[in-house]
Amino acid sequence: MFGKLLNHTTDGQTVTLHYEKQTAYLHVLTDTIINVFVPFHTKEHLSKAIEGGKEQPVSFTLQQDQESLVLSTPALSCRIHDDFKLDFHDKDGNLLCADYRGRRIPRFTLQESLVELSRKEGHEVNLSDTVDHPVQCVKTLDEGDCIYGLGDKTGVLNKRYYEYENWNSDIPDPHEDCFKSLYKSIPFFIILKEKGIYGIFYDNTFRSYFNFGKENNSYYSFGSTDGNLDYYFIGGSSMPEILTDYTYLTGRMPLPQKWALGYHQSRWGYDSEETFRGIAKKLQEHRIPCDAIHFDIDYMERYKVFTWDKTRFADAKTLLSDLKKQGIKAVTIIDPGVKVEKDYPMYEEGISNGYFVKTPQGDTYVNAVWPGDAVFPDFGRPEVRSWWGEHLRFYTELGVSGVWNDMNEPASFNGPLPDDVVFTDEDRTTTHAEMHNVYGHNMAKATYEGWKNLTGKRPFVITRACYSGSQKYATAWTGDNQSLWTHLRMAIPQQCNLGLSGMPFIGTDIGGFGADTTPELMARWIQTGCFSPLFRNHCAIGSMNQEPWLFGEEVLSIYRKYVELRYSLLPYFYDLCRVCEQTGLPVIRPLVLHYENDRNVRNMNDEFLIGESLLAAPVVDQGVTRRLVYLPEGVWYDYWTHEEYQGGQYYPVDAPLDVCPLFVKAGSVLPKAPAQMYVGQIPDPELILELWPGTGSYVHYRDNGEDFSYRDGAYNEYLIENRDGQEAGIRKLHEGYTDYPDIKMVYISRKKRA
Ligand code: GLC
């Protein structure tokens, strides 16, 4: 396809490769990041994920040897061959990643005669397992390679042997392991080898395909229907380094407001002022700490965004201010689809300014969502984003504290939007085919920027659809799961992979969105969900209500125990968010992130880390009250009993209904808060520092938890030294904010295992 390499030229850190039939570029961004670019579609990158220049000065060399042209940075080298075959090596010369040269051979093909038969029973039959795409790359796989990331895909943690598609999709059926796509398109994955590790960020927004060795065990491929071949090869020496590099490129989650880490109660179907007041009252009566209640589409007047139904909510402003007195903030859903209705201001304004996407013939494109016929803002245009952002004033003036963007794949009820619907990418006219996967991303950007301008506070925005880089604007949830044990189980690898894809602030609908939960499932889900950064119980209209008090006394007290656990650990979660902002490392982490050389954790689907200090091994199966827990190397302590465990092995652990097995790494310092019903109930609470046996150090972060003054230095950072859980030294690394009224030390003593 490319032919022979004829010659090359170098301009700064970009090497232009002139092949017989095509020109390609390698751009050295940092020691560990090289961009590979073939401008099939546009001359420029036009990335939606990467903002601003990312090039750092790198002293690289370019040498011709007998075989190939070799580009070397201090950390990586890339051998450049004819036909644009590239081989990447680490600094010690180990081959990390080679372009595949052989013929593509599907592992299995169906006999023609069986195809008709299979189709008769309704099976989807793909005759050729080798699907060539107009833009594609095929690279070799080694026997032990494991693959992680790729956003919110269903199924197991290690994506090796599976295939996926990136096309943001709202699929109402129960999410199955075999789904190829869901709501988010994050074309980033990490390949962990027996020796070595690398990441690839394939920055292409068109419908894309990833075959991770399903077609053939000796290669994997990624490709798209259109666009450029534009990928970033990231070669670090550990998984955290790869993730730090990926988030250096695509951005990191900004610190959230502290309250956003509290508990959120939600249900599609809370549809009147009385209902909301009733829920708030019950939360208080049952002593369930809570920081937010979500207003689903029922608050609107006939599902028109930027309206509030006056018949069911006589005075929304007073309602919201009363809830706030109880510490409860309102988060409102906003969908992109604007109802087609004469004299409805959002519609009329958008039409007169030409802000909605259009048909190729130039008419406003109409599909249908909740309000019936609806039109879609062209969020790729800066003026549309500003218009939307300015209108958010409707919500801020009522006292709303956060926005939940939904249906922004965009979902549509009258069939999918055709590929040729006209969209804009900043000032360039393009189509739905290119902008679909970044529609939710651009809507999140409009919301984040608008909210920030209006309030000056850190915006709390949730989004369902994402692209790489959406972490800069929004938190996300995994969409419409169901009250199924399989979905509770899947929540772990799904959230872990989202974290490995640069999206740290995530959560699932606790209890399950669709279908009906059971007391046991609710108890187990809250034990897993209390560790999700986005901590929300949400369910669908038509399914059984799932507020915590509806499952009997036992489940209610279990529920309270885990919400209280979360509130006590809020300083730890907040510290982890600070770490996210600085390094890109997520809050919820698969064990493989920190123990990549331990083969036992490479396919670990039912345990996860919260930061580096806590390991949760929840029960995710019905009827189970004892489970095997694997603890990686080092010494660990049972959070509940303080019993000591040697890592590197499995243990059978008791887990009656009220116990989520939870372990603390030796030497940990856990920063904790006193009990509160909401963040800020105690205006300036003391800090509790739990020192666990073992030696270690910990950095704790403190600021006002609300605005951006920390970026001008208004924060404190404390270094806490833990010497075998006994004595501690606390030193300030940064001083720019007030001190705690008190710091209480709690020394945990080790207990022998019974
Ligand atoms: C979508 C959302 C869900 C919401 C519902 C109604 O299904 O994913 O969370 O409750 O729409 O707005």
Side-chain angles (χ1 to χ4, degrees):
M1 189 184 162
F2 285 74
K4 278 203 167 324
L5 176 60
L6 303 176
N7 56 57
H8 67 273
T9 52
T10 305
D11 180 13
Q13 292 183 190
T14 302
V15 182
T16 305
L17 301 162
H18 298 283
Y19 282 92
E20 279 173 313
K21 297 179 205 148
Q22 181 72 47
T23 301
Y25 303 86
L26 294 186
H27 184 182
V28 181
L29 292 178
T30 69
D31 286 1
T32 47
I33 309 176
I34 297 175
N35 174 245
V36 178
F37 186 58
V38 186
F40 290 132
H41 181 67
T42 51
K43 280 207 194 105
E44 298 83 33
H45 292 268
L46 303 171
S47 179
K48 297 292 103 201
I50 302 176
E51 292 178 38
K54 295 293 168 187
E55 183 187 292
Q56 293 172 8
V58 179
S59 59
F60 70 97
T61 59
L62 206 54
Q63 278 171 336
Q64 181 75 53
D65 68 16
Q66 280 178 340
E67 265 175 63
S68 58
L69 183 64
V70 188
L71 186 160
S72 305
T73 74
L76 282 179
S77 72
C78 174
R79 288 189 162 269
I80 307 158
H81 298 266
D82 287 342
D83 222 17
F84 200 41
K85 297 292 180 216
L86 306 177
D87 300 332
F88 291 89
H89 298 255
D90 68 15
K91 63 175 185 314
D92 303 322
N94 298 313
L95 179 64
L96 288 173
C97 165
D99 275 326
Y100 180 71
R101 268 82 162 175
R103 198 164 61 84
R104 288 172 75 167
I105 307 167
R107 271 197 299 156
F108 62 87
T109 41
L110 266 182
Q111 278 173 32
E112 290 275 349
S113 59
L114 295 178
V115 170
E116 260 326 287
L117 202 61
S118 316
R119 284 191 177 143
K120 273 193 184 136
E121 211 201 341
H123 298 286
E124 232 181 74
V125 181
N126 185 359
L127 262 186
S128 149
D129 222 29
T130 306
V131 188
D132 274 315
H133 303 292
V135 181
Q136 69 179 8
C137 205
V138 187
K139 296 185 181 293
T140 56
L141 271 178
D142 286 331
E143 197 53 42
D145 292 358
C146 298
I147 307 183
Y148 306 101
L150 211 66
D152 66 341
K153 302 300 186 233
T154 51
V156 288
L157 182 70
N158 176 3
K159 300 303 188 195
R160 173 82 188 253
Y161 296 112
Y162 294 92
E163 65 173 335
Y164 299 98
E165 274 178 39
N166 269 359
W167 187 254
N168 289 352
S169 306
D170 170 30
I171 305 172
D173 304 331
H175 301 163
E176 298 274 6
D177 279 10
C178 60
F179 273 28
K180 295 208 172 88
S181 50
L182 263 184
Y183 311 94
K184 302 169 184 57
S185 290
I186 306 189
F188 170 66
F189 53 90
I190 299 171
I191 299 204
L192 174 62
K193 307 184 73 64
E194 289 297 334
K195 207 164 190 214
I197 185 163
Y198 65 93
I200 286 190
F201 168 41
Y202 172 49
D203 196 4
N204 183 314
T205 63
F206 286 87
R207 191 186 278 272
S208 301
Y209 302 88
F210 300 81
N211 192 310
F212 287 146
K214 176 186 163 183
E215 179 183 309
N216 187 302
N217 195 20
S218 56
Y219 57 81
Y220 71 95
S221 64
F222 54 92
S224 310
T225 52
D226 204 340
N228 296 318
L229 180 66
D230 188 357
Y231 71 88
Y232 295 78
F233 183 87
I234 305 174
S237 49
S238 69
M239 204 178 284
E241 278 181 33
I242 306 282
L243 203 43
T244 295
D245 269 358
Y246 168 69
T247 52
Y248 164 74
L249 284 175
T250 60
R252 298 189 181 129
M253 175 193 84
L255 261 185
Q257 290 194 55
K258 230 182 229 167
W259 68 262
L261 291 166
Y263 174 69
H264 301 229
Q265 180 64 46
S266 183
R267 173 174 169 84
W268 174 14
Y270 291 164
D271 65 351
S272 68
E273 185 164 337
E274 296 67 54
T275 315
F276 282 94
R277 289 189 187 279
I279 295 292
K281 195 158 164 265
K282 288 264 190 199
L283 284 161
Q284 210 161 39
E285 268 171 31
H286 293 293
R287 291 184 295 105
I288 302 289
C290 180
D291 263 276
I293 299 189
H294 289 219
F295 288 68
D296 205 322
I297 49 173
D298 322 271
Y299 77 85
M300 296 178 216
E301 188 195 310
R302 287 180 296 121
Y303 307 128
K304 291 190 292 185
V305 289
F306 302 89
T307 69
W308 208 296
D309 189 295
K310 293 211 173 53
T311 53
R312 286 173 288 113
F313 297 86
D315 182 356
K317 201 168 183 166
T318 307
L319 168 67
L320 267 47
S321 120
D322 288 349
L323 291 177
K324 222 174 250 172
K325 286 181 198 140
Q326 196 183 313
I328 294 178
K329 278 68 78 182
V331 175
T332 45
I333 201 166
I334 305 183
D335 295 336
V338 172
K339 185 174 176 63
V340 175
E341 187 179 89
K342 209 167 164 307
D343 298 332
Y344 163 37
M346 280 310 278
Y347 175 70
E348 294 286 2
E349 260 180 59
I351 289 287
S352 60
N353 290 308
Y355 283 166
F356 301 119
V357 298
K358 300 204 165 54
T359 65
Q361 292 71 36
D363 303 320
T364 299
Y365 173 80
V366 182
N367 202 306
V369 211
W370 303 119
D373 281 356
V375 289
F376 300 84
D378 193 1
F379 286 117
R381 285 168 63 184
E383 61 274 33
V384 176
R385 292 199 294 271
S386 311
W387 169 67
W388 193 264
E390 178 50 40
H391 271 284
L392 293 172
R393 188 182 293 282
F394 171 79
Y395 294 96
T396 55
E397 285 182 348
L398 282 173
V400 171
S401 301
V403 174
W404 163 22
N405 286 343
D406 188 26
M407 309 295 274
N408 52 355
E409 293 71 36
S412 50
F413 298 166
N414 279 346
L417 276 69
D419 277 359
D420 62 357
V421 171
V422 181
F423 279 63
T424 313
D425 178 18
E426 304 301 318
D427 51 4
R428 185 176 59 100
T429 303
T430 179
T431 60
H432 176 234
E434 183 170 2
M435 299 307 282
H436 177 86
N437 282 340
V438 286
Y439 192 74
H441 175 87
N442 280 331
M443 184 187 184
K445 182 172 176 165
T447 311
Y448 181 87
E449 285 169 355
W451 204 266
K452 190 174 172 193
N453 286 340
L454 290 167
T455 65
K457 292 199 177 152
R458 305 172 201 167
F460 178 63
V461 181
I462 309 180
T463 182
R464 196 170 70 174
C466 292
Y467 184 70
S468 286
S470 299
Q471 66 269 16
K472 294 184 289 261
Y473 313 119
T475 103
W477 90 110
T478 56
D480 298 348
N481 59 4
Q482 307 248 336
S483 304
L484 301 171
W485 287 96
T486 48
H487 282 192
L488 170 59
R489 216 177 296 141
M490 190 162 67
I492 298 174
Q494 202 176 16
Q495 293 183 92
C496 284
N497 273 323
L498 274 162
L500 292 184
S501 309
M503 284 296 303
F505 203 143
I506 33 133
T508 60
D509 283 346
I510 291 172
F513 175 74
D516 302 316
T517 198
T518 64
E520 186 189 0
L521 182 58
M522 194 73 236
R524 292 308 190 184
W525 211 312
I526 194 70
Q527 295 170 9
T528 313
C530 71
F531 300 113
S532 294
L534 181 61
F535 182 29
R536 182 180 75 160
N537 173 331
H538 178 57
C539 63
I541 199 163
S543 69
M544 212 174 78
N545 273 61
Q546 56 190 36
E547 291 82 31
W549 46 87
L550 297 176
F551 302 91
E553 270 311 310
E554 187 189 9
V555 173
L556 174 61
S557 72
I558 292 172
Y559 205 98
R560 189 183 304 112
K561 170 177 165 183
Y562 286 90
V563 179
E564 284 174 351
L565 172 69
R566 167 64 168 249
Y567 273 76
S568 76
L569 285 169
L570 279 179
Y572 182 57
F573 276 87
Y574 195 60
D575 282 346
L576 288 173
C577 290
R578 170 72 172 167
V579 171
C580 290
E581 189 178 42
Q582 292 181 319
T583 66
L585 295 190
V587 175
I588 287 196
R589 307 175 182 177
L591 274 60
V592 70
L593 179 61
H594 289 297
Y595 303 93
E596 63 191 43
N597 295 323
D598 183 342
R599 282 160 192 273
N600 289 317
V601 303
R602 291 186 172 181
N603 295 304
M604 180 70 76
N605 285 289
D606 61 356
E607 296 182 20
F608 58 91
L609 298 166
I610 303 107
E612 279 192 72
S613 299
L614 287 175
L615 183 152
V619 168
V620 289
D621 288 294
Q622 189 188 33
V624 171
T625 50
R626 188 168 164 82
R627 60 158 289 177
L628 273 185
V629 176
Y630 180 75
L631 296 171
E633 67 180 10
V635 174
W636 295 83
Y637 294 92
D638 183 308
Y639 177 84
W640 309 107
T641 65
H642 305 176
E643 285 168 308
E644 187 174 272
Y645 288 77
Q646 292 300 321
Q649 49 186 306
Y650 282 90
Y651 292 93
V653 172
D654 283 336
L657 192 59
D658 66 330
V659 172
C660 170
L662 186 62
F663 295 85
V664 186
K665 194 177 167 178
S668 290
V669 175
L670 284 182
K672 289 186 154 186
Q676 295 187 79
M677 285 297 286
Y678 59 90
V679 171
Q681 186 188 22
I682 305 173
D684 193 9
E686 64 187 10
L687 176 70
I688 300 163
L689 289 175
E690 253 180 34
L691 274 82
W692 288 75
T695 296
S697 61
Y698 181 81
V699 175
H700 172 64
Y701 175 83
R702 164 176 162 93
D703 66 12
N704 70 15
E706 275 188 3
D707 60 24
F708 289 92
S709 57
Y710 73 100
R711 294 197 177 162
D712 303 318
Y715 66 91
N716 286 351
E717 233 164 29
Y718 308 82
L719 175 70
I720 301 133
E721 303 281 357
N722 174 8
R723 279 173 228 107
D724 205 16
Q726 290 304 318
E727 45 173 294
I730 304 182
R731 188 158 60 84
K732 248 187 233 158
L733 296 178
H734 182 94
E735 180 158 12
Y737 192 64
T738 57
D739 264 323
Y740 281 101
D742 191 18
I743 298 182
K744 196 167 133 201
M745 310 299 284
V746 177
Y747 303 103
I748 308 285
S749 355
R750 51 168 69 78
K751 289 222 175 80
K752 269 226 162 81
R753 222 153 33 87

